[in-house]
Every structure is written in C-alpha cells, then in structure tokens.
Amino acid sequence: MDTTPFTSPHYVHGYSADEARRLGDQADTLAALLHAGTAYPAGGRVLEAGCGVGAQTVHLLDSGPGVHLVSIDVSGDSLAQARARVNAQRPDARVEWHRADLFALPFEDASFDHVFVCFVLEHLKDPEGALAGLRRVLRPGGTITVIEGDHGSAFFHPESPHAHAAIGCQVRLQAAAGGDALVGRRLHPLLAAAGYDDIVVRPRTVYADRTRPALVEGFTRNTFIAMIESVREDALAAGLLTRAEWDRGIADLRRTATPEGTFHYTFFKALAVAPR
C-alpha cells in the first residue's frame, strides 16, 4: 500500500549496498544486546516504524514468531530490500509491508498493540511529532519500544582528538540535515512530551576489546568505524576537516580495533505506554 506525499528525511549514511551490509552487520552483532527483553505475544499486531532494509525486522520476528508485523518505511527501495531479506531468512513470517510517511500514517486510531522504533528518530527534524503520531495508532495501554544511539557516548583507547573530530563530522552533518546523532539521551523527554506514560529508559552499553573479537569486528570495525567513514566525501566537501585531518582521524579510530585498542558506545532503549 502506498501513500503520498512522502516526507523523506535525509539519510546521512546514504543508500548504498555497503550501507545495507553495514546495517545488517550492526543488527546481527547487537541483536542480543538490543532485543533482549522485547518479545511480543503471538497474535499481537506490531508496527515497525522505519524498517529500512529489514535488518532489525528479522530479529523482531525471532523474538515474536507469532506476531502480525506491519513494517513501514518511506523508501520504496529499502522496503524491497527488507521484503527480500525477510523472505530469504524468515519465509513463513507474517509481515505486511507499507510505503508510508511517519508523519502521515495510513492507519486508523488505536490499530496496533505495540510499536517498535529503532534508529529512526535520529534522522527526523521532528522526533516528538513522529512519536505523537505513533501514539495515535497505538491502542490505550499498548507499548512503544524506542532504541537510539548517542555518538557522544563513544570513547576509546588509544585516545585521540583527531578520531573525535572525525566522529564530530558525522554529528555535524546529521544536525545540518535536521537530525540528531545524540538523540539517545533525549528519549525520556521526547516520549514524555509526546504524551506517553510509564516511561523507562535504560542504557545498553557495547564494550569491545581483544577478548571480544566478535564485537571488535562486528561493531567497532563494521558498524561504527564504517559509519563514520561513509561521510568522508560530505565532510570534506563541507570543509569540516582537511583531507589530512580526516585521514589522521580515521587512522586513529581504526587503532581502537587493534589488539591494543578498546571501544565503548552506549545505546538507549526506552519502553513507554500509550495512555489508558
């Protein structure tokens, strides 16, 4: 089902095949960390708001195999990739796909038991408005789960101001596009302003060192550093760093994924309830 018009946010990481792979690596590496405690009962109607390429969709289906999942995204190309991913990995799943705008949801009031939002608010100019719209389609007493990162929580060894400057480029570019790479710390006030009750926000921390090679590879290298590297051309074009400064920052960031390095990052996971 298509609805128009679509308010497509600027996705600062782009829509390349490399980005689709990065999202898959991120979802698979962090599945246990991010999805722990999220299990929807069989028969429940769940809205996945902003499914992207379906990287999180397959994990939602793992934790709620009997749900009626409705996955939406503003990008038709991303929806096609999501459908293909789910068909290949969870062919028996019950998923309904819609191309839809978060700010003009094509659903009746109180038509979902649960809503799941992951790595979406960071890209929106009006995250509070999006959350309020999602509350409209959530039944009284229904739950919303929101997961977001916060680039201000990245710290590492060896310490490097050059690496922080490279990360700062991504934060600044996302802000210029109307998003917020630091949105994780805002989840509680955003949900409260959007009218939700019983809000609980908890940090989900990733820490990687040589004793956790899967996290070093899957998160530090293939998720975080790859994400920062993806904005190189935009950062240079905007004059945020010189080419030499950028290269030094990325080189230092890569050192955090060596046997001598460590890396820390915090995601925030919120659970809230639509007013009864």
Side-chain angles (χ1 to χ4, degrees), residues 24-128:
D25 286 339
Q26 174 179 252
D28 294 345
T29 300
L30 301 175
L33 178 78
L34 298 183
H35 288 272
T38 300
Y40 299 119
R45 186 171 166 85
V46 180
L47 174 64
E48 181 189 17
C51 66
V53 297
Q56 301 295 337
T57 312
V58 293
H59 296 290
L60 277 179
L61 294 168
D62 284 343
S63 59
V67 302
H68 176 191
L69 185 63
V70 178
S71 294
I72 67 169
D73 201 88
V74 72
S75 166
D77 289 342
S78 293
L79 275 175
Q81 293 181 65
R83 187 194 299 265
R85 184 188 298 265
V86 169
N87 286 344
Q89 299 183 31
R90 308 293 185 275
D92 298 327
R94 184 185 181 190
V95 185
E96 193 178 312
W97 306 96
H98 295 262
R99 186 178 179 212
D101 188 331
L102 274 175
F103 297 95
L105 292 168
F107 307 113
E108 295 182 359
D109 293 0
S111 54
F112 292 94
D113 301 302
H114 308 281
V115 172
F116 181 83
V117 188
C118 186
F119 306 150
V120 173
L121 300 186
E122 63 174 302
H123 302 292
L124 305 181
K125 293 182 179 180
D126 182 15
E128 180 187 326

Side-chain angles (χ1 to χ4, degrees), residues 183-194 196 198-201 270:
V183 75
R185 67 188 71 180
R186 298 171 57 203
L187 289 189
H188 194 289
L190 283 171
L191 285 161
Y196 291 89
D198 303 330
I199 304 164
V200 177
V201 181

Side-chain angles (χ1 to χ4, degrees), residues 173 228-239 243 246:
L173 287 168
I228 300 304
E229 288 178 319
S230 73
V231 303
R232 178 181 187 274
E233 297 307 318
D234 287 342
L236 295 179
R243 194 172 301 273
W246 174 267

